[in-house]
Amino acid sequence: MNPSRSIRAMAFFAAAMVFLGAAGPAGAAPATPFKVGIAAPTVNMLPLWMGQEAGLFRARGLDVEIVNTDGGSRGLSEVGAGRLQAMTVGLSAVIDANNKNGDYRLIASGANTMSFRFFGAKGITGAAALKGKKIGISAFGSESDSAASMALKQLGLTRRDVTIVEAGGTLKRLDALKSGALAATALNEPADTQAQREGLPLLVDLKADLPWIFTAIVTDRNYLAAHKGAVKDFLRAYVEAIYVALSDAPRAKAVLAREFKDFSPAIIQATYDDFKARVPRDATPSRTGAETMLKELPAFGTPVKSTNAADYVDASLVEELRREGFFDAMKKKYGVE
């Protein structure tokens, strides 16, 4: 055979193999790109990380990319602009955004109770020491913003008594608290337990069983209507990832340890325990939580245009999955109640 023809044939064959590999198995449709934002790396992101690690999103035909937006309210604006397909954020941010002419819907919940504790920097042991100082939140309108207002109220203070500043995600705020750049902030796992172990003063424990949609999957209402199938597949994979994490503790803790490299095994264990205690097995948003928030947020200075939960929460896809027997199938498959 002519050497040049042989070389051209091999090059053609190699290119064909690359093409076929990218296309997947014969007849398989290409995966649908699906970008989901996170406000910060915290315990509540475990289903997303587990879904990727276990290949659950890919199995549903989705090419999921997780994007850290360093604040929930910031991430919602990316959803509204079409640069993200969904955002993991609490209901406070949805209410705030919809009050500002957004049109978002919270479609599934990752935690239905308040999950923050409010810590001070070293030397900040009470309300008097906080006056005039900086309080860190991730972004205005976020759950950490609501938590700050809630904590200040319990301390007998108002937002006018302090300076509220945007200071990034939970881990960034922990670092700022340790350095003294912030006087106080709300933290959840793993930063919560880390702060306790480092002796930072616990000013207010908000981590009671207060009904509160603390973190959830949120999308734009128009995107949801136009891409219902893709969003439903995302929820199937998200919920299955919850069951994988609950049924396989070593695997779940290995994923957490990979994401939180600077934290000890004891902190990882506490983080996993918090996940188990708070995650709703069926991802159903708490109606009581929504009603509580719509009642409480105006007292914290967050205007609420509508007190109708349906203007912020759409659990129709979760209910479809329930009617189809999906949750029962997950319980049976993974042996988790």
Side-chain angles (χ1 to χ4, degrees), residues 12-336:
F12 176 81
F13 179 77
M17 290 301 98
V18 169
F19 174 79
L20 290 173
T32 300
F34 196 100
K35 290 185 178 181
V36 56
I38 64 172
T42 69
V43 58
N44 306 111
M45 305 310 130
L46 180 55
L48 295 178
W49 296 328
M50 183 62 75
Q52 279 199 324
E53 193 271 341
L56 300 176
F57 296 117
R58 179 68 64 172
R60 299 284 179 183
L62 299 175
D63 180 14
V64 168
E65 178 183 351
I66 300 172
V67 180
N68 186 352
T69 64
D70 210 22
S73 302
R74 231 172 266 118
L76 273 186
S77 66
E78 293 294 290
V79 173
R83 289 185 287 269
L84 296 176
Q85 282 64 62
M87 182 68 198
T88 51
V89 69
L91 182 56
S92 292
V94 178
I95 293 171
D96 180 66
N98 283 5
N99 286 343
K100 299 169 181 173
N101 300 317
D103 197 9
Y104 303 101
R105 290 298 182 272
L106 186 154
I107 60 172
S109 177
N112 282 325
T113 54
M114 173 57 75
S115 303
F116 277 131
R117 288 191 174 102
F118 193 70
F119 288 89
K122 288 189 176 178
I124 303 291
T125 57
L130 276 181
K131 287 189 175 181
K133 301 292 198 310
K134 290 182 180 179
I135 308 298
I137 61 173
S138 64
F140 291 107
S142 65
E143 297 312 318
S144 60
D145 192 11
S146 295
S149 295
M150 193 181 301
L152 290 170
K153 184 178 181 181
Q154 291 194 32
L155 289 167
L157 301 173
T158 70
R159 294 171 72 95
R160 292 187 298 274
D161 295 317
V162 299
T163 301
I164 307 289
V165 298
E166 292 185 337
T170 306
L171 301 183
K172 288 184 178 179
R173 297 200 309 276
L174 173 60
D175 288 341
L177 201 62
K178 288 158 61 177
S179 72
L182 294 176
T185 192
L187 301 173
N188 63 327
E189 298 294 1
D192 175 349
T193 299
Q194 184 67 29
Q196 293 180 69
R197 286 176 177 256
E198 296 196 20
L200 295 178
L202 176 60
L203 301 178
V204 181
D205 188 353
L206 300 170
K207 208 172 181 177
D209 291 326
L210 174 68
W212 197 273
I213 306 181
F214 182 76
T215 192
I217 302 298
V218 177
T219 190
D220 179 81
R221 190 162 70 99
N222 290 329
Y223 179 85
L224 177 61
H227 301 88
K228 178 181 174 181
V231 176
K232 192 172 179 180
D233 281 334
F234 175 84
L235 287 186
R236 286 191 181 101
Y238 179 84
V239 170
E240 184 164 6
I242 292 172
Y243 279 89
V244 172
L246 291 171
S247 66
D248 193 341
R251 187 179 189 183
K253 286 186 285 187
V255 170
L256 289 171
R258 182 190 69 208
E259 298 296 332
F260 303 120
K261 296 181 178 67
D262 297 331
F263 291 87
S264 70
I267 302 291
I268 296 300
Q269 182 65 55
T271 302
Y272 179 66
D273 290 343
D274 185 74
F275 169 78
K276 287 196 302 180
R278 295 182 184 279
V279 68
R281 275 54 173 168
D282 57 4
T284 299
S286 166
R287 183 174 182 82
T288 303
E291 291 170 349
T292 298
M293 295 174 76
L294 289 169
K295 178 182 177 182
E296 294 291 336
L297 287 176
F300 301 148
T302 300
V304 173
K305 279 187 180 179
S306 169
T307 57
N308 182 3
D311 288 330
Y312 312 100
V313 179
D314 180 354
S316 60
L317 289 183
V318 169
E319 292 308 316
E320 281 186 23
L321 293 176
R322 192 187 316 282
R323 289 193 299 271
E324 293 166 5
F326 181 74
F327 301 125
D328 289 336
M330 290 296 100
K331 291 176 185 177
K332 184 177 181 180
K333 180 176 180 179
Y334 292 101
V336 173

